[in-house]
Amino acid sequence: MKNKNITPIKRLSLREEVYETLKKSIIQLDFEPGARLHDKELAEGFGTSRTPVREALKRLEDEGLVESTPGSSTRVTPLNEKEAYHAFTVAAALHALSARLAVPQLTERDFTLLESANKKLENAMKQQDIIGAIHADEEFHQVYLQAAKNPEIFLALKRIMPKIQRLEIAQFGSINGLKSVEHHKKIIEISRDRHENMTSRLVEENWLSLGELLSTKGK
């Protein structure tokens, strides 16, 4: 079970590094849905004991990214479109809330960041770079999350977004990213006019439309 991301770790934050690396590998489908994860092999790959690997797998199980049964090895959770659809509806509501809270606080620097992130999204989609597109989209919405200054929204989204991102990567061919770019431009325009409720509604629609597109079995 070889994986290019599994290499010896030398940093002090060993537990966190193992967790983040495994999480990234699952989200980006380096470990495919249903793939078995053996703590001994992973520990050897990281150059660590089994303890930080087991702790990381337990955290990932709590987040719904891996699953295990007594007497059986742990495996990556299969993709579940219905579950992802539900995650999209929650993410849409949370991002809409952050946008409504953020709009009155946005600065010119924030608008520059929004436009820059949207340009990165456009370029990534044209180049068929799904990882780059996801990062750019995350960067765009991060501006609103930062300006909203509500840590509870961050915490809630941290658990939900990996499920969404994994489905985005798996179904990249279904995504009309350039349409999302146009949605973002409208969101920026309305935000500049300080219409927080309208911005919130557009952000929610942006997320829900993507959820509908990727999770056709979720209804």
Side-chain angles (χ1 to χ4, degrees):
M1 183 177 60
K2 298 294 184 180
N3 185 289
K4 63 180 182 297
N5 294 318
I6 310 300
T7 56
I9 292 175
K10 299 179 181 179
R11 299 181 185 179
L12 294 177
S13 55
L14 189 62
R15 288 177 173 82
E16 196 64 25
E17 188 72 11
V18 169
Y19 163 74
E20 291 293 345
T21 301
L22 288 175
K23 184 176 181 179
K24 177 181 177 182
S25 294
I26 291 170
I27 291 172
Q28 296 186 359
L29 305 183
D30 294 319
F31 289 133
E32 296 181 355
R36 297 195 177 278
L37 301 173
H38 302 283
D39 57 5
K40 183 176 183 294
E41 292 181 13
L42 291 171
E44 290 173 353
F46 282 121
T48 70
S49 69
R50 293 191 191 185
T51 300
V53 173
R54 287 173 174 170
E55 291 177 354
L57 291 175
K58 180 61 173 67
R59 288 176 66 181
L60 293 167
E61 184 174 8
D62 291 341
E63 294 172 9
L65 292 178
V66 304
E67 59 186 20
S68 61
T69 55
S72 177
S73 59
T74 302
R75 68 169 185 166
V76 177
T77 305
L79 288 172
N80 185 320
E81 290 190 354
K82 184 174 183 179
E83 182 179 281
Y85 177 79
H86 293 316
F88 266 108
T89 61
V90 176
L94 290 170
H95 279 292
L97 174 59
S98 74
R100 181 166 60 80
L101 295 174
V103 167
Q105 314 300 327
L106 294 174
T107 65
E108 279 305 314
R109 179 177 180 276
D110 290 325
F111 286 114
T112 298
L113 292 173
L114 287 168
E115 290 169 355
S116 174
N118 203 36
K119 186 63 178 178
K120 291 178 185 176
L121 174 60
E122 182 177 14
N123 291 337
M125 294 306 302
K126 287 179 178 178
Q127 296 168 16
Q128 298 287 292
D129 176 9
I130 182 57
I131 303 301
I134 287 176
H135 288 165
D137 187 67
E138 186 176 26
E139 186 178 323
F140 179 90
H141 292 286
Q142 192 76 8
V143 176
Y144 289 98
L145 288 168
Q146 291 286 354
K149 298 178 181 178
N150 188 320
E152 293 300 324
I153 299 177
F154 272 104
L155 291 174
L157 285 172
K158 186 177 181 180
R159 180 179 177 83
I160 295 170
M161 291 309 298
K163 296 177 182 179
I164 290 175
Q165 291 171 342
R166 198 161 67 119
L167 186 63
E168 285 180 309
I169 293 171
Q171 299 192 10
F172 177 63
S174 302
I175 300 175
N176 186 347
L178 296 181
K179 185 176 181 181
S180 188
V181 169
E182 293 305 313
H183 283 173
H184 285 181
K185 288 179 180 178
K186 186 64 175 179
I187 290 169
I188 294 172
E189 178 185 340
I190 297 301
S191 296
R192 280 193 176 278
D193 291 335
R194 304 297 174 178
H195 296 311
E196 57 259 43
N197 290 332
M198 188 178 297
T199 301
S200 176
R201 186 164 60 252
L202 288 175
V203 168
E204 185 171 25
E205 289 173 0
N206 181 243
W207 281 98
L208 289 177
S209 64
L210 181 59
E212 290 282 352
L213 184 64
L214 295 179
S215 310
T216 55
K217 296 179 183 178
K219 295 181 180 180

